[in-house]
Amino acid sequence: MQAADHLDRNRVLVINQVRIFTGTDVIESGYVVITDALIAEVGPGSGPSIESLPHGASAISMPGHTLAPGLIDCHIHALSGNVNSIEQSLRFGVTTVCDMHNSPHDNEELLKLSSDPANKSKYSAFKCAGLGAVVENGWPIPVMRKEFDHLPHGRCIADKIISTWPRLKHPADARTFVDQQVDKNHASYIKMFHEVGDTIGMDDVLPQPPMDVQAAVVEAAHRRGIVAVGHAFSQAGAIALLEAGADGLTHMFLDKAVDLEGFTNTMRAKKAHCSPTLALCGSQTGESQDLQQRFLDDPFAQKMLLFRSPGKPVGFAVDQPRSRVGLEHAVETTKALYHAGVPILVGTDAAGKDLGTPYGLGVHMEMYILAHMVGMSPIDVLHSATSVIADSWWKHQLNRNFKSQFLFSPVDADDRSVARTPEAGSKSTTFNHLLVWLQNELRQGSKPIHTEKSQSSYRAS
C-alpha cells in the first residue's frame, strides 16, 4: 500500500525513511507525522513506533522519495477567472498561486472554488492583490488590450474591463485604494506598476506614475501590514519603485544594468526581493519559445496539462536590439542579485489566453532557468519556490511555522531534477515531480492515487 491508502483510512500517518526538504533544510533520512491531514512532526531518523500512536494510526516507508513543501507561484494572472490557474497549477505540484492584478469578481469566484472543502484536492490555494495601482493610460492597459486582440470585438471587451479599474491621480487616493483592495477585494499584498516603456518600444506612449503617488501606495500598504511589490521592465522603472519604498520587484528588467554593482547594493540596502520571471522575460523578447516547447513535449507534462498548445510570445520587446534589451541581461542582473544574497522568488506571470508561459508548468521552467542560466544551487531554487516567498511576503503571519502551514508534495528522490538538462525528443521528464499531497489525498493529475487495499479500507469522500 502507498500513502494515499493510509490517508484515506486513518487520521494519523507516519512516513519513514524519506528524504525531506522542509523549505529551509534537508534531512537526508527522516520521518514525518501527519495528524488530521496536518504536518504534526518532522525529524531525522525513524518516527515514533506504531505502538506509541493512537489506535488506527499507520506507518509506511518511502525510500527513494523526497518530501517537499508544495511550490508557490508568486506571480500569475487568472484572466476572466480562468480556473486552469488553480487546477492545472496543482497538477504540477504548485499548491499556492498569487494573482497580481485581476477583476475582483473573478478573484472572488476563484477564492470560493479554492477554499471549498469539496475542491480540496482539485485546486491550488489562491491569493491575490485585487486590482493593481494603475494611472490613466498606464500599464497594464496595453497588455490587457493585447490579451484580447485575438477575440472578436476583443478591443471592446478589453476596454470594458479596463473601465472598471480605479485610477490613482494624487497621493490622497492611495489609502482609499489600498483599503478597498484589502477590505473588499481580499488583497494579501499590493501590486504597483512603474513601466517606463523604454525596453518595449513604448516610452513615448506610457505616462509615468507620479513618485509621490507611488510612495503613498507603499505607505498605505505598510499601514495595513502587507507588502507592496512592483512591475517594471526597465532599470529606470525598477529604481523608481525602490525609491518609492517598494518591498520587491515582480520582474527583472530587460535592459543591461548601467551600474550592476550599484543596483545590487541598492536592493540589499533596501532589503528588497525580486521575482525575476525570467521565462516571461524570454517571452517578451521571443527568446524562450524553444525551451517552452521542450517542456510542453515532456510526456509527464502532456499528461498533466489541461491546455496543451504553446503560448505565443508576449513579444513587446521582440523588435528591440539584443545588445540593449534581452533575456541575457535579465539573467546577468538576477545572477548578481543572487550572489549578493538578495532574495529571489519564483513567479511566472502566467496568464492563460494562449499567451506567455503555462500555469503550473511555467514554475518548473522558471526553476530550470534559475538553476541552469542563473547558476543557483538546486536547494536554493527550491527555497525560492517555497520558504523565500513565505518569508518575504507573510513572515509576520506564518511566525516561521512553515511546516505546519504549507502542504507537502512527494517528489523524486533527487532535488537535482531542477538542474537536469531536458533533451530534445527525450522520453524522460524534465522534472521529477510525481505526486501532490493535498490534505487527505495523494493525487496525480486529477485522480487520487490508490493501490490494492484490504477489504476494510475505503475511499474518503
Side-chain angles (χ1 to χ4, degrees):
M1 289 190 180
Q2 293 190 5
D5 302 287
H6 295 270
L7 285 169
D8 280 348
R9 290 162 37 201
N10 300 292
R11 307 302 289 179
V12 178
L13 168 67
V14 180
I15 302 178
N16 284 309
Q17 292 182 290
V18 65
R19 191 166 183 257
I20 302 165
F21 171 64
T22 68
T24 53
D25 304 305
V26 175
I27 300 173
E28 291 298 336
S29 181
Y31 69 93
V32 176
V33 179
I34 308 163
T35 302
D36 292 332
L38 296 176
I39 307 298
E41 187 178 344
V42 177
S46 298
S49 65
I50 195 71
E51 292 79 15
S52 67
L53 297 172
H55 178 72
S58 58
I60 58 171
S61 294
M62 295 186 72
H65 289 76
T66 295
L67 284 172
L71 305 177
I72 304 171
D73 187 342
C74 75
H75 190 158
I76 70 151
H77 297 276
L79 298 179
S80 303
N82 192 337
V83 178
N84 283 357
S85 64
I86 54 177
E87 183 171 359
Q88 184 167 289
S89 291
L90 184 61
R91 288 169 169 245
F92 288 96
V94 181
T95 55
T96 302
V97 298
C98 304
D99 189 275
M100 278 291 175
H101 175 77
N102 196 23
S103 158
H105 171 75
D106 292 338
N107 286 346
E108 183 82 33
E109 292 303 310
L110 290 170
L111 283 164
K112 287 180 181 177
L113 284 173
S114 66
S115 60
D116 186 340
N119 298 327
K120 64 186 180 182
S121 54
K122 186 177 182 180
Y123 299 134
S124 302
F126 181 81
K127 294 182 180 292
C128 70
L131 291 167
V134 180
V135 299
E136 192 66 43
N137 295 318
W139 195 271
I141 289 174
V143 74
M144 177 59 71
R145 287 173 175 156
K146 185 166 185 174
E147 296 275 7
F148 287 88
D149 273 350
H150 67 290
L151 298 176
H153 310 292
R155 182 62 176 264
C156 293
I157 296 171
D159 285 346
K160 184 176 181 179
I161 294 171
I162 292 165
S163 69
T164 65
W165 300 350
R167 312 292 207 277
L168 280 70
K169 299 179 181 179
H170 309 290
D173 300 334
R175 182 173 291 193
T176 300
F177 167 79
V178 169
D179 286 346
Q180 182 183 44
Q181 304 319 306
V182 175
D183 296 332
K184 294 184 179 180
N185 297 338
H186 310 287
S188 297
Y189 41 85
I190 295 297
K191 174 70 176 293
M192 305 164 63
F193 304 97
H194 206 102
E195 184 51 62
V196 175
D198 56 336
T199 61
I200 55 175
M202 300 181 70
D203 47 317
D204 59 342
V205 177
L206 291 172
Q208 299 310 297
M211 287 299 295
D212 56 354
V213 172
Q214 299 288 58
V217 171
V218 174
E219 182 182 0
H222 291 174
R223 171 179 164 269
R224 296 302 303 266
I226 57 178
V227 298
V229 295
H231 159 110
F233 280 134
S234 69
Q235 183 179 11
I239 290 173
L241 286 166
L242 294 173
E243 289 176 350
D247 298 287
L249 305 177
T250 62
H251 298 288
M252 180 47 67
F253 47 84
L254 300 173
D255 46 340
K256 185 174 179 62
V258 176
D259 178 3
L260 185 55
E261 183 179 0
F263 178 75
T264 300
N265 289 339
T266 298
M267 289 285 289
R268 290 181 60 186
K270 292 185 176 293
K271 299 182 179 179
H273 58 264
C274 179
S275 173
T277 63
L278 293 172
L280 185 278
C281 290
S283 183
Q284 287 286 4
T285 62
E287 297 176 89
S288 63
Q289 292 306 103
D290 288 346
L291 179 63
Q292 180 178 151
Q293 190 62 57
R294 287 156 71 187
F295 271 79
L296 287 169
D297 289 343
D298 182 275
F300 183 83
Q302 286 291 311
K303 184 176 182 180
M304 294 296 149
L305 287 165
L306 295 170
F307 185 82
R308 293 179 173 82
S309 299
K312 297 186 292 292
V314 179
F316 278 105
V318 166
D319 297 328
Q320 299 298 306
R322 290 292 161 263
S323 59
R324 190 175 71 86
V325 174
L327 178 59
E328 177 186 0
H329 305 314
V331 168
E332 179 186 21
T333 309
T334 303
K335 186 181 297 185
L337 295 185
Y338 168 62
H339 288 298
V342 173
I344 304 297
L345 284 59
V346 169
T348 64
D349 202 8
K353 299 292 182 186
D354 304 338
L355 201 63
T357 59
Y359 295 123
L361 180 61
V363 170
H364 295 272
M365 289 177 58
E366 189 72 13
M367 293 169 72
Y368 171 85
I369 292 171
L370 291 174
H372 272 272
M373 298 178 70
V374 175
M376 293 176 62
S377 73
I379 287 297
D380 283 345
V381 173
L382 289 171
H383 284 151
S384 292
T386 53
S387 56
V388 173
I389 301 174
D391 280 348
S392 297
W393 289 11
W394 302 299
K395 186 174 183 178
H396 62 290
Q397 298 174 26
L398 293 178
N399 195 27
R400 293 292 302 162
N401 193 13
F402 183 80
K403 291 187 292 295
S404 66
Q405 296 289 333
F406 284 85
L407 305 171
F408 275 37
S409 304
V411 296
D412 191 83
D414 197 342
D415 57 83
R416 287 190 296 273
S417 61
V418 297
R420 189 167 65 189
T421 303
E423 300 294 337
S426 172
K427 293 184 178 180
S428 63
T429 57
T430 56
F431 48 90
N432 291 333
H433 163 260
L434 298 178
L435 305 170
V436 175
W437 170 20
L438 194 63
Q439 296 196 17
N440 269 347
E441 286 187 331
L442 278 175
R443 304 183 72 82
Q444 187 171 53
S446 60
K447 298 178 180 179
I449 303 300
H450 295 283
T451 55
E452 294 183 9
K453 301 178 181 181
S454 65
Q455 291 183 353
S456 62
S457 66
Y458 65 91
R459 178 178 176 177
S461 58

